[in-house]
Amino acid sequence: MNNGIEKAPTGIEGFDEITEGGLPRGRPSLVCGSAGCGKTLFATSFLVNGARAGEPGLFVTFEERPPDITANVESLGFALDQLVADGLFQFEHVAFDPTDLEEVGDYDLEGLFLRLELAVEEIGAKRIVLDTIESLFSAFENQAILRAEIRRLFDWLKEKGLTAVITGERGDGSLTRQGLEEYVSDCVVLLDHRVHNQVSTRRLRIVKYRGTAHGTNEYPFLIGHDGFSVLPVSSLGLTHQVFDERISSGIPDLDEMLAGGGFHRGSSILLSGVAGSGKSSMAMCFAAEACRRGEKALYLSFEEAPEQTVRNMRSIGIDLQPCIDTGLLHCVAARPTFYSLEMHLAIILREVARWQPSLVILDPISAFLDSGESLEVQSMLLRVVDYLKTHGITGVFTHLTHEQGQTKTDAGLSSLMDAWLLLLNREINGEFNRELYLLKARGISHSNQVREFVMSEAGINLLAPYLGENGALTGSARRFEEARVRRRETERRANAAALQQQVQQRRRRAEAQIAALRADLEADEAELRRLMGAEEDFQRTASADLAEMAASRRT
Amino acid sequence: MSETDNLETDAAKGIELTLYVAGQTPKSVAAIRNLERLCAESPGLALQVKVIDLKENPRLAREHNIVAIPTLVRKLPAPVQKIIGDLSDTEKVLVHLQLGDAS
């Protein structure tokens, strides 16, 4: 990238990514924002992380007392006392007492400079925070002197090679109330705290960062249990890894529907369906299967408590508790209305980054539609999808539809998804039957059939499609049809047997007739033979008689 | 010029003044000169004046919480009063030190 400017990592999650390395080393940076938006925390994180990395830091506070700051950040795991004891951290409290401070004639802030110099030398500080220098403006009247001195201070910081963070209060129409931005030319970070639909979101924007590439968007940031984290959600491209490896869905029958068995690793799989169509259960099958393979899975639930999910999954013969206990399955539950969209996105991405799962489930993404506008939801989910893909993580998203077989999602997500399973729950003849079909699966030839899917104690099974005369059938209609066909078959067999018998009988009759006729013929022939014999005898007798008669006449 | 108690006073009324300077900068020099002049012009005041050069002992800047240079601090009588600047307007200095009616 840009090697022109050396950078000092802030150690703030995400911030170093969007700035490609951190704040400009050896230069002052301005962090401005309205009250309560996390300026001091940003600055403290910068110092503490620097101190932990071996760069001693000096915290110059003009407002809060050091013990207060120490107490404030203690809950975030920053043990300032220890760092102070180790000589890696020091406070310089520049207090302005309320007593009357009168100005008579010309003065400068050399006292401040001397104090800073002393403190910097004492611990060998490489980093410094001035929080917030604007207090000077309320303490001193002579603005001309003050501005000249502040300019001198910034020059001094640069001269000393200190990586500095200067905080400033947000002003009307300008970044800071006192126009501090005109002194800081290198890096200006704006922190913001906005409330939209009664949900507050903290955002961070890098207004300028001279001499380096940086993300220019507003990034949501989080002040959580573990400090300040910025979520570089927009800095994502389409350069994700592509896998040929297939992973099982945990439902063998479903894997079979895809030529080659299962889905591609790193693909995004959408499960959409109406209420009660088995989306969550199916999604959890993916998770259980991932855990069985020994991979980590992250389950982000926006409607159910993890405990409830675990209980529910037991009813279909899948026990997730061992997966949770062994640390393979991590569940995070948050109501969509609990945070703003950006914050949700931020949390999702942070959890993914921390947990490093190979499979992430978002259940359901439709829950967000109630908390924001669909365009925003879409862009947020797009980022999630992109993020997961970039990291080769398989994403399983469930989506609650209100219309049966709806082939478009409210969030317009369908085109982002690599595979889309449509789950139906159809009422036919007084019963609901669950059906599933693969609407699309990029790069995998797949079955086009609507399969009936049955959830039982033995898990999820897909039944082979029944294609009757009247189309595919499910549930009792299917059973009825099967019985009907069976009956018809028996009937047909019976008919055939009867027909066969008939023919045989007829043949027997015909054969009998033939035998009778043959007997008649034989009788006739016998009679003929008898007649022929009689005729012969007659002829013989007649000739004998004739001869006898002739002989008698001669005598 | 360090911690000089070079200004003669009566030391009776116990007005303690400390002037913080930083080296020989024009402002510091001017402040010392102006304070000397003030003492000279108001002989009735029992002024105890101490000049501290923070350049030589910057630790005192932290301990005494000094930001601006020069700073004149009236430690006694209480309450503490601070005046910053080169003290060019002695009249104003006297008013702010509430020494005007004390004399």
Side-chain angles (χ1 to χ4, degrees):
Chain A
M1 291 288 166
N2 196 320
N3 298 321
I5 289 179
E6 205 191 328
K7 292 176 185 174
T10 59
I12 292 170
E13 219 177 330
F15 185 80
D16 294 343
E17 285 167 48
I18 50 177
T19 52
E20 295 179 2
L23 294 171
R25 189 181 288 280
R27 298 181 189 210
S29 301
L30 178 66
V31 175
C32 48
S34 46
C37 70
K39 297 186 293 292
T40 304
L41 188 61
F42 182 96
T44 315
S45 305
F46 161 76
L47 278 191
V48 168
N49 291 321
R52 285 174 178 166
E55 287 193 12
L58 174 66
F59 196 110
V60 184
T61 170
F62 293 91
E63 285 174 343
E64 276 184 284
R65 293 186 314 118
D68 293 342
I69 297 174
T70 305
N72 290 349
V73 298
E74 202 147 36
S75 62
L76 304 172
F78 294 160
L80 293 187
D81 288 336
Q82 186 55 45
L83 289 171
V84 170
D86 293 343
L88 289 167
F89 193 95
Q90 189 168 321
F91 278 112
E92 181 69 36
H93 186 203
V94 181
F96 299 105
D97 38 25
T99 52
D100 225 0
L101 191 67
E102 284 307 326
E103 297 180 13
V104 180
D106 200 10
Y107 59 93
D108 56 31
L109 301 183
E110 189 60 29
L112 178 65
F113 282 84
L114 288 170
R115 289 169 69 172
L116 296 185
E117 190 151 9
L118 174 70
V120 165
E121 276 169 12
E122 272 173 349
I123 57 163
K126 297 265 187 297
R127 298 182 176 201
I128 188 168
V129 165
L130 302 173
D131 182 45
T132 159
I133 202 164
E134 292 188 320
S135 306
L136 291 174
F137 285 90
S138 55
F140 298 102
E141 279 169 23
N142 193 328
Q143 301 286 302
I145 289 177
L146 207 48
R147 290 191 180 277
E149 285 301 283
I150 286 177
R151 192 174 289 282
R152 189 159 74 97
L153 178 62
F154 282 80
D155 289 342
W156 179 82
L157 291 171
K158 275 192 211 172
E159 197 185 295
K160 288 276 165 192
L162 292 166
T163 309
V165 167
I166 291 107
T167 62
E169 193 92 349
R170 186 83 198 261
D172 289 331
S174 66
L175 289 174
T176 56
R177 209 173 280 166
Q178 304 298 343
L180 286 177
E181 59 272 20
E182 67 182 87
Y183 305 108
V184 183
S185 52
D186 295 305
C187 180
V188 178
V189 178
L190 179 65
L191 303 180
D192 191 14
H193 193 202
R194 256 177 280 166
V195 177
H196 179 64
N197 285 345
Q198 297 164 8
V199 178
S200 91
T201 312
R202 296 172 191 274
R203 291 168 216 248
L204 175 148
R205 185 161 70 93
I206 295 164
V207 180
K208 88 173 171 189
Y209 197 150
R210 188 171 284 182
T212 187
H214 63 84
T216 50
N217 295 330
E218 280 192 320
Y219 303 96
F221 71 89
L222 207 63
I223 296 175
H225 300 298
D226 33 16
F228 200 102
S229 50
V230 185
L231 303 125
V233 285
S234 305
S235 58
L236 301 167
L238 266 176
T239 51
H240 25 78
Q241 289 168 274
V242 175
F243 293 88
D244 282 328
E245 187 194 341
R246 298 294 190 84
I247 56 158
S248 169
S249 63
I251 304 165
D253 296 334
L254 177 59
D255 295 341
E256 271 171 35
M257 287 177 77
L258 299 146
F263 295 90
H264 285 298
R265 178 179 292 282
S267 59
S268 321
I269 302 155
L270 178 65
L271 308 173
S272 76
V274 291
S277 57
K279 297 180 297 296
S280 301
S281 302
M282 186 163 276
M284 290 315 281
C285 283
F286 279 86
E289 179 64 19
C291 294
R292 203 191 51 71
R293 286 194 301 267
E295 296 172 8
K296 284 196 276 187
L298 176 64
Y299 177 63
L300 298 155
S301 167
F302 307 110
E303 277 175 357
E304 271 184 299
E307 291 77 17
Q308 192 180 327
T309 313
V310 169
R311 184 202 67 194
N312 294 351
M313 288 307 286
R314 275 200 197 106
S315 72
I316 59 163
I318 296 173
D319 194 358
L320 295 167
Q321 197 58 49
C323 303
I324 295 174
D325 294 341
T326 56
L328 283 174
L329 180 64
H330 186 54
C331 299
V332 178
R335 281 262 170 223
T337 46
F338 197 63
Y339 303 115
S340 68
L341 277 178
E342 288 89 346
M343 201 52 78
H344 269 292
L345 175 64
I347 291 167
I348 292 169
L349 299 193
R350 193 188 60 179
E351 289 297 329
V352 171
R354 285 201 186 148
W355 192 247
Q356 302 279 323
S358 72
L359 181 94
V360 172
I361 297 169
L362 266 74
D363 183 31
I365 52 173
S366 42
F368 289 109
L369 291 167
D370 306 329
S371 70
E373 289 160 33
S374 72
L375 203 67
E376 287 173 21
V377 176
Q378 191 185 345
S379 89
M380 167 206 155
L381 292 171
L382 174 75
R383 291 172 185 184
V384 175
V385 170
D386 273 354
Y387 184 86
L388 296 182
K389 284 197 163 186
T390 312
H391 293 80
I393 300 164
T394 312
V396 178
F397 306 84
T398 68
H399 186 275
L400 175 71
T401 52
H402 300 289
E403 243 173 87
Q404 196 70 257
Q406 203 175 353
T407 50
K408 86 181 207 354
T409 53
D410 301 326
L413 264 185
S414 44
S415 57
L416 299 175
M417 296 293 166
D418 296 316
W420 188 355
L421 284 161
L422 210 57
L423 305 176
L424 309 175
N425 199 7
R426 269 208 283 241
E427 191 270 349
I428 301 164
N429 303 328
E431 65 177 41
F432 274 106
N433 289 303
R434 296 194 174 91
E435 292 169 23
L436 169 151
Y437 72 95
L438 259 168
L439 199 69
K440 78 167 176 184
R442 279 181 186 152
I444 309 173
S445 79
H446 54 87
S447 166
N448 68 343
Q449 286 163 341
V450 177
R451 306 282 289 261
E452 180 175 2
F453 93 92
V454 177
M455 294 197 285
S456 64
E457 289 84 357
I460 294 181
N461 290 303
L462 301 182
L463 303 183
Y466 182 82
L467 301 166
E469 292 161 22
N470 309 318
L473 294 171
T474 55
S476 65
R478 167 208 189 96
R479 285 191 287 281
F480 176 78
E481 182 65 16
E482 280 170 353
R484 195 177 68 84
V485 167
R486 267 199 304 279
R487 260 199 322 276
R488 219 165 45 185
E489 176 67 16
T490 336
E491 218 169 276
R492 194 185 56 76
R493 282 209 194 120
N495 284 348
L499 199 67
Q500 206 177 2
Q501 230 170 352
Q502 242 174 2
V503 170
Q504 273 173 352
Q505 274 175 351
R506 199 172 293 160
R507 175 183 289 154
R508 275 200 295 276
R509 208 160 52 224
E511 279 169 357
Q513 278 175 339
I514 290 167
L517 286 172
R518 190 170 286 152
D520 281 357
L521 192 66
E522 278 169 9
D524 286 351
E525 278 174 356
E527 180 64 20
L528 185 65
R529 272 197 302 276
R530 193 185 56 81
L531 282 174
M532 295 283 276
E535 177 64 21
E536 221 173 290
D537 287 348
F538 175 76
Q539 290 283 345
R540 214 169 29 235
T541 315
S543 63
D545 282 354
L546 203 61
E548 203 177 310
M549 243 174 355
S552 66
R553 234 177 255 165
R554 239 176 269 166
T555 53
Chain B
M1 185 184 276
S2 65
E3 310 203 10
T4 38
D5 287 25
N6 56 347
L7 301 163
E8 264 89 313
T9 61
D10 292 351
K13 294 193 177 169
I15 296 173
E16 275 184 42
L17 295 177
T18 312
L19 179 65
Y20 295 88
V21 294
Q24 301 285 347
T25 60
K27 289 183 205 92
S28 299
V29 172
I32 292 166
R33 212 171 38 238
N34 287 331
L35 191 58
E36 279 171 351
R37 188 157 51 89
L38 185 140
C39 291
E41 284 170 6
S42 323
L45 292 173
L47 295 175
Q48 271 189 307
V49 177
K50 200 157 92 174
V51 177
I52 296 178
D53 187 350
L54 294 176
K55 217 151 208 164
E56 298 193 355
N57 197 352
R59 239 164 254 282
L60 290 175
R62 184 189 298 162
E63 280 166 29
H64 299 167
N65 196 23
I66 303 301
V67 175
I69 295 289
T71 299
L72 180 65
V73 178
R74 188 197 75 190
K75 289 196 174 131
L76 280 174
V80 174
Q81 280 284 329
K82 278 187 180 177
I83 298 174
I84 59 170
D86 57 14
L87 313 175
S88 48
D89 187 341
T90 41
E91 203 60 35
K92 216 168 161 190
V93 174
L94 285 172
V95 170
H96 287 304
L97 287 177
Q98 295 173 337
L99 298 175
D101 36 272
S103 55

